[in-house]
Amino acid sequence: MNQESGRSMIEMLGVLAIMGMLTVGAYELIKLAFNNQKQMKVQEEIFAIVNEVRTQHSQYDDFSGMDGNVLLEIMGKKQNPYGGTYEVVVDPSNARQFVLTINGLTKNDCQALATRAWTDSVGYQLSDKKESGAVGSCNGTNGTNYVQITFAE
């Protein structure tokens, strides 16, 4: 009798199925890591923008003379890591506050940024540190969602 050695087709399919599952798992982990990196980059950029606004207007009583677009252009922070833009405007209801908007978000990224605790924001401080301090519109199509955060002096 001849004895054949080698792999059967079923064994090969099993190995391919396992490799496929490992590839999908690795892809999801890489995707999660990139999303986390983008969120951290946005957080860093927001803190830099807030600090710059406060520094530029520290000698004034309020932010009424602020031109957020010029400030963002000077800082080179007009575009965010999601491909959208940042906007900084004086709060229309209180000139001692300014609103920073993050545009162009996906639904998931919008929800993550809207629920994050923005510890230096007005909303977080006024809620006794129970709310995030951000307001988001996260129900639009991907790329059309935004988060707004209000900061004060």
Side-chain angles (χ1 to χ4, degrees):
M1 286 234 177
N2 277 345
Q3 283 193 337
E4 294 184 27
S5 64
R7 305 282 180 242
S8 70
M9 184 65 104
I10 293 175
E11 289 173 322
M12 291 300 289
L13 288 174
V15 168
L16 288 174
I18 291 170
M19 287 174 54
M21 289 189 304
L22 290 173
T23 302
V24 168
Y27 173 77
E28 290 300 320
L29 285 175
I30 291 170
K31 185 175 157 184
L32 180 64
F34 277 120
N35 282 343
N36 287 343
Q37 181 203 18
K38 280 183 182 179
Q39 287 180 13
M40 295 205 36
K41 178 90 170 151
V42 165
Q43 290 170 17
E44 291 172 9
E45 289 181 352
I46 287 174
F47 289 129
I49 292 168
V50 169
N51 288 334
E52 187 64 24
V53 168
R54 287 180 175 155
T55 300
Q56 293 291 327
H57 290 83
S58 63
Q59 60 196 358
Y60 303 109
D61 291 333
D62 59 29
F63 298 104
S64 59
M66 179 180 68
D67 186 344
N69 289 327
V70 171
L71 179 74
L72 292 172
E73 289 289 334
I74 291 170
M75 292 181 70
K77 302 261 189 239
K78 191 73 176 148
Q79 189 169 17
N80 65 47
Y82 296 103
T85 59
Y86 292 115
E87 292 176 21
V88 179
V89 296
V90 179
D91 187 342
S93 63
N94 184 348
R96 296 179 68 92
Q97 299 176 353
F98 62 95
V99 180
L100 192 146
T101 304
I102 310 161
N103 294 307
L105 301 172
T106 65
K107 289 180 183 181
N108 291 338
D109 294 324
C110 180
Q111 290 168 347
L113 292 171
T115 56
R116 182 195 179 284
W118 297 98
T119 57
D120 201 20
S121 70
V122 172
Y124 184 79
Q125 297 297 327
L126 291 177
S127 70
D128 286 335
K129 303 176 183 177
K130 294 179 184 164
E131 295 183 20
S132 74
V135 177
S137 174
C138 303
N139 295 323
T141 58
N142 287 343
T144 63
N145 302 297
Y146 64 89
V147 171
Q148 292 182 321
I149 312 162
T150 302
F151 296 94
E153 300 176 280

